[in-house]
Amino acid sequence: MDYIESEYFSYKDNQLYCESIPVKTLAREFGTPLYVYSKKFFRDKFTEFTNAFSTVNHTIFFAAKSNFNLNVIKLFYDLGSGIDVNSMGELYRALKIGADPKRILLTGVGKTKEEIKRGLELDILLIKAESIEEVYLIDKIAGEIGKKAHVAIRVNPDVDPQTHPYISTGLAENKFGIPASQAIDIFAECSKLTNIEVTGIDMHIGSQITMIDPFVEAVVKMTELTKKIIAKGVKIKHFDVGGGFGIRYKDEKPFTADELASALIPIFMQLDCEIFFEPGRFITANGGILLTEVLYTKSNNEKNFVVVDGAMTDLLRPSIYGAYHHIQPAVKSDMNDITADIVGPVCESGDFLGKERLITDTKSGDLMAVLSCGAYGMVMSSNYNSRRRAPEIIVDIENYFTTRSRETYEHLLYDEKIVDGLH
Ligand code: LLP
């Protein structure tokens, strides 16, 4: 079988380490399933991205939806990142870490009145509107509470990001943004509204995009459009490229931040705008693993199964996108390789972490590491089957910190109760 290693997760004496900590130590102390993150990875990736664009005036807004752990958000914030939030809950988290509202963007195709109002009350940097109806609503609410709303409009550039259809967002068929064909009129209309100042133009074409071409195509289209909007007298101060920068899960060969920068910077040079980026996965995914313990192994005439204690409730991506996450033993052994499905305990056939995997034969009690779980892992977990969500540990060289403990059964009940009078 193949073992994937990195500077952040590597084997020493056959043991998998996160930075300087054997992951087995963490599994023993905190139990499994368990999320483990490398602080150094987050720092290095953020720095790599921002350094690549050092010659242009830019700001990174970490897409908190990819990993909304307070400490992860804070780590990026302390490195100079702003925060891209997609809901009141993410906004709450951003405020919890003490973020200055002037470093927060509010995103989302379906923001509620409450979310818009809260954003305006806080004077966040900007709200990204996705329809003319939303722009009118922002204008109305801003008028009611006596605020001037700073708004960017998300335009759908209609390019094919060549990624999984569920995570494509920049095609005409997708629900996001306004069509490029209506953009000039909509920007002109918005700039007439009294309670709004249109400050920027925004795009986000999808996620896990590993080729540069869709970005170049979209940025070229949006740049041409921006020039036309500016020619109509609208001041565009910033151009938001969104996120979507792909990573390696298996054998993808994604572009590097430097390659992206070389392709995009000459286009940005045509505009006098600050450039915004909203990376999520690129700066988080390969900084996290999910540790899970083998409960049982079995085989029928057709297949081998490794039943582990991690499930679709901990990591949903394989079940809903058929996503590949590399799975490898946390302790290397000299057992023979077998082909097996790695499945969880939830009562769904769709509950698997990996299918048809070539993996060293394993036994009950062995520890497995599921890789690339720093993005869209914990944040998409659920309590289905009344399972408790996993703890999250961040390793910082030879220290480690519990940023969130395993939920208790009481947490699962929250304020649910047997109601008097109903029975
Ligand atoms: N900005 C906007 C407006 C977004 O909608 C997203 C992600 C991002 C930035 C960050 O994208 P990233 O750099 O992480 O690709 N659950 C899916 C991914 C959904 C992405 C949603 N939007 C998955 O597990 O692959």
Side-chain angles (χ1 to χ4, degrees):
M1 71 161 295
D2 291 335
Y3 289 90
I4 297 183
E5 294 187 64
S6 66
E7 191 186 335
Y8 314 95
F9 295 95
S10 61
Y11 288 86
K12 283 171 221 150
D13 299 328
N14 291 329
Q15 293 262 354
L16 182 64
Y17 279 65
C18 174
E19 302 193 14
S20 302
I21 303 289
V23 297
K24 208 171 156 185
T25 307
L26 302 174
R28 262 200 223 111
E29 185 169 340
F30 301 102
T32 50
L34 177 71
Y35 274 98
V36 178
Y37 304 127
S38 155
K39 173 178 167 185
K40 186 171 190 312
F41 177 91
F42 296 146
R43 205 180 45 215
D44 287 358
K45 274 289 164 179
F46 179 86
T47 310
E48 181 187 327
F49 197 94
T50 196
N51 285 353
F53 288 94
S54 59
T55 57
V56 283
N57 178 16
H58 75 278
T59 303
I60 292 176
F61 292 85
F62 169 54
K65 62 171 77 71
S66 71
N67 187 326
F68 54 51
N69 182 295
L70 291 177
N71 297 275
V72 175
I73 298 177
K74 183 161 163 50
L75 257 159
F76 290 126
Y77 185 81
D78 290 347
L79 289 169
S81 184
I83 309 164
D84 174 45
V85 301
N86 199 70
S87 67
M88 193 77 105
E90 287 182 3
L91 177 58
Y92 184 77
R93 285 173 179 270
L95 297 175
K96 245 320 193 233
I97 67 139
D100 177 352
K102 281 276 163 264
R103 286 169 64 184
I104 297 177
L105 309 182
L106 179 58
T107 302
V109 71
K111 292 175 218 78
T112 62
K113 283 186 193 125
E114 291 69 31
E115 283 167 338
I116 293 170
K117 184 160 173 243
R118 186 80 183 114
L120 292 173
E121 283 166 354
L122 288 164
D123 285 321
I124 60 167
L125 183 63
L126 66 96
I127 300 180
K128 294 188 280 167
E130 300 222 10
S131 67
I132 187 71
E133 204 172 329
E134 183 184 353
V135 173
Y136 290 139
L137 180 64
I138 298 171
D139 183 59
K140 180 167 171 276
I141 300 174
E144 281 164 10
I145 62 171
K147 292 275 184 184
K148 186 95 177 167
H150 295 120
V151 170
I153 299 174
R154 177 166 173 181
V155 177
N156 184 336
D158 193 18
V159 298
D160 183 357
Q162 298 165 42
T163 185
H164 191 290
Y166 285 12
I167 50 176
S168 294
T169 51
L171 278 167
E173 67 194 57
N174 298 128
K175 67 181 175 182
F176 299 97
I178 59 162
S181 57
Q182 296 171 15
I184 298 176
D185 290 344
I186 292 181
F187 271 83
E189 165 72 7
C190 295
S191 58
K192 288 188 210 136
L193 300 172
T194 10
N195 307 308
I196 280 190
E197 186 189 340
V198 179
T199 59
I201 186 161
D202 173 59
M203 65 177 240
H204 170 76
I205 56 173
S207 200
Q208 182 52 11
I209 301 166
T210 52
M211 319 251 284
I212 281 190
D213 298 356
F215 282 107
V216 173
E217 191 188 335
V219 170
V220 166
K221 274 192 180 179
M222 295 282 289
T223 300
E224 292 311 312
L225 191 60
T226 306
K227 286 182 197 162
K228 289 182 190 152
I229 293 167
I230 292 173
K232 290 268 175 194
V234 183
K235 279 211 185 85
I236 301 288
K237 292 193 212 153
H238 50 82
F239 179 122
D240 188 337
V241 181
F245 318 111
I247 61 122
R248 180 177 173 210
Y249 283 97
K250 190 182 182 189
D251 43 21
E252 299 90 339
K253 294 195 177 58
F255 50 80
T256 62
D258 281 339
E259 285 163 352
L260 184 71
S262 309
L264 297 186
I265 288 175
I267 318 171
F268 294 149
M269 292 302 190
Q270 298 175 31
L271 295 171
D272 184 21
C273 289
E274 182 179 357
I275 307 298
F276 288 178
F277 297 99
E278 301 164 359
R281 188 187 322 258
F282 189 86
I283 55 176
T284 50
N286 278 324
I289 60 170
L290 175 68
L291 288 174
T292 181
E293 189 180 298
V294 176
L295 299 174
Y296 305 101
T297 56
K298 61 180 180 180
S299 47
N300 59 24
N301 294 335
E302 286 179 20
K303 277 194 156 191
N304 297 310
F305 294 98
V306 177
V307 185
V308 295
D309 63 3
M312 65 190 292
T313 49
D314 304 298
L315 181 69
L316 186 59
R317 304 190 72 258
S319 300
I320 63 168
Y321 312 121
Y324 182 94
H325 284 257
H326 196 70
I327 304 174
Q328 58 196 32
V331 181
K332 283 187 185 173
S333 77
D334 48 15
M335 307 262 271
N336 290 331
D337 283 350
I338 57 160
T339 300
D341 285 6
I342 320 292
V343 300
V346 168
C347 54
E348 300 269 353
S349 296
D351 178 28
F352 61 89
L353 300 179
K355 286 218 157 158
E356 302 280 321
R357 294 300 175 85
L358 188 68
I359 192 147
T360 41
D361 204 356
T362 177
K363 57 182 185 319
S364 176
D366 286 353
L367 193 60
M368 298 287 202
V370 185
L371 306 192
S372 317
C373 288
Y376 307 108
M378 183 61 183
V379 292
M380 291 172 73
S381 62
S382 79
N383 295 121
Y384 183 40
N385 274 200
S386 237
R387 285 170 56 87
R388 296 173 299 159
R389 282 177 300 166
E392 291 176 289
I393 308 298
I394 299 185
V395 175
D396 181 15
I397 314 174
E398 72 281 348
N399 296 312
Y400 52 90
F401 302 88
T402 312
T403 63
R404 176 192 170 107
S405 313
R406 192 176 307 285
E407 285 174 333
T408 66
Y409 293 106
E410 275 309 308
H411 286 139
L412 295 185
L413 293 183
Y414 178 47
D415 79 338
E416 187 180 333
K417 51 198 164 284
I418 303 283
V419 181
D420 288 345
L422 185 65
H423 305 282

